[in-house]
Amino acid sequence: MDWLQILLLAVVQGVTEFLPVSSSAHLILVPIVTGWQDQGLVFDVALHFGSLAAVVIYFRQELWVMALAWLGSLRTRKLDANSRLAWAVLLGTIPVGLAGLLLNDTIETVLRSPLYLAAGLIVFGVILGWVDWRHRGIRTEYQLRWRDVAFIGFAQAVALFPGTSRSGITMTAGLMLGMSRDAASRFSFLLSIPVIVIATALQTYELLKSEQTIAYGALATGTILSGISAYLCIHFFLAFINRIGMQPFVIYRIVLGLLLIYFFI
């Protein structure tokens, strides 16, 4: 991998991981469009670790309070707002974890084509646009009921279909339940933490079984660039989402999907 490839893949991963535009679609597309060889499992692990570090650092204060409240709920068996949110994040991760274990081989071998990517980008982009236009409300992430958490959790499992976008589908589900744009986005970002942890752990396990050569300089650079771009993405997205809405991302998804159909179908 040359430095341009490292830079582009790291920034693409960092930015698209938390925008409702599908990071997996972009990481699949970059080698197709540029003609580069696949970046390999080692570099994927590094990029995901950078994204994970970014979201943990950004929400460090909330996560600390949630963790203390969660531990307290184990001891007292009573829930307050922060412990409920912590349990919501954990329980909302179960559906995607189970779906990933059951469908991983199918997703990796059958669905990673430009046609499926285009379908996921366009269909779920249109749904996001419609929900943002008709259903957004004022509920916060602290007001979610357990059935709401289950709904968002099962929606997150749908994101295993390439082109869907994990952040996009969870924001869509949150808006559908009457959450504000900011609250739906924040809960989506919090939900990403255990998902990225699980994905990175599985990738690391696969890495330990392989014999790939490790270029530590490239890994360190990719991790840092991915983390910085992801942190900035989260910051600016939350700062402006209530004003700009979801429609710019909807338009981008549809245009990208149509370009995929034009060039690859």
Side-chain angles (χ1 to χ4, degrees):
M1 295 175 62
D2 59 34
W3 291 107
L4 176 61
Q5 187 176 2
I6 293 170
L7 173 63
L8 181 59
L9 288 171
V11 173
V12 166
Q13 162 65 24
V15 172
T16 60
E17 178 69 38
F18 299 106
L19 293 181
V21 295
S22 179
S23 62
S24 62
H26 286 76
L27 288 179
I28 293 171
L29 279 174
V30 169
I32 294 175
V33 173
T34 60
W36 291 333
Q37 291 184 346
D38 186 88
Q39 61 269 18
L41 184 60
V42 179
F43 197 66
D44 281 347
V45 172
L47 296 185
H48 280 95
F49 185 78
S51 297
L52 175 63
V55 70
V56 169
I57 292 172
Y58 189 88
F59 289 103
R60 60 191 181 278
Q61 294 180 343
E62 292 92 331
L63 290 172
W64 177 251
V65 173
M66 288 166 58
L68 292 178
W70 182 79
L71 291 172
S73 72
L74 294 177
R75 184 179 66 255
T76 64
R77 298 183 181 276
K78 295 180 180 179
L79 297 177
D80 60 11
N82 286 296
S83 60
R84 280 179 61 88
L85 182 57
W87 278 110
V89 170
L90 294 175
L91 295 176
T93 307
I94 294 175
V96 71
L98 294 176
L101 291 175
L102 294 173
L103 302 174
N104 183 62
D105 291 339
T106 301
I107 294 166
E108 291 295 324
T109 58
V110 178
L111 299 180
R112 291 170 69 90
S113 74
L115 176 60
Y116 288 115
L117 288 174
L121 285 166
I122 294 172
V123 171
F124 291 102
V126 170
I127 295 173
L128 172 61
W130 180 76
V131 171
D132 182 57
W133 177 48
R134 294 296 300 272
H135 288 278
R136 69 180 184 273
I138 59 173
R139 295 178 66 193
T140 72
E141 63 269 34
Y142 293 98
Q143 297 173 315
L144 291 173
R145 298 160 294 191
W146 297 122
R147 63 175 179 267
D148 299 329
V149 173
F151 180 73
I152 297 175
F154 280 106
Q156 182 170 230
V158 177
L160 293 173
F161 187 94
T164 301
S165 170
R166 188 212 60 82
S167 57
I169 196 68
T170 51
M171 291 177 193
T172 299
L175 293 171
M176 195 175 294
L177 294 169
M179 298 179 74
S180 67
R181 289 167 174 160
D182 179 70
S185 302
R186 290 175 65 85
F187 188 63
S188 173
F189 295 156
L190 290 173
L191 270 179
S192 74
I193 296 173
V195 172
I196 299 176
V197 168
I198 293 172
T200 304
L202 291 175
Q203 289 178 325
T204 302
Y205 174 73
E206 293 295 328
L207 176 61
L208 293 175
K209 296 193 302 180
S210 69
E211 297 181 355
Q212 293 192 42
T213 302
I214 299 177
Y216 291 101
L219 293 186
T221 304
T223 301
I224 293 171
L225 290 175
S226 174
I228 293 173
S229 56
Y231 186 94
L232 293 174
C233 174
I234 296 170
H235 174 75
F236 287 109
F237 185 86
L238 290 175
F240 294 106
I241 188 57
N242 284 326
R243 280 190 280 174
I244 65 176
M246 299 292 181
Q247 303 310 317
F249 304 105
V250 173
I251 295 171
Y252 176 81
R253 290 176 64 111
I254 294 173
V255 171
L256 181 58
L258 292 175
L259 287 174
L260 281 174
I261 293 173
Y262 178 78
F263 284 109
F264 295 103
I265 305 303

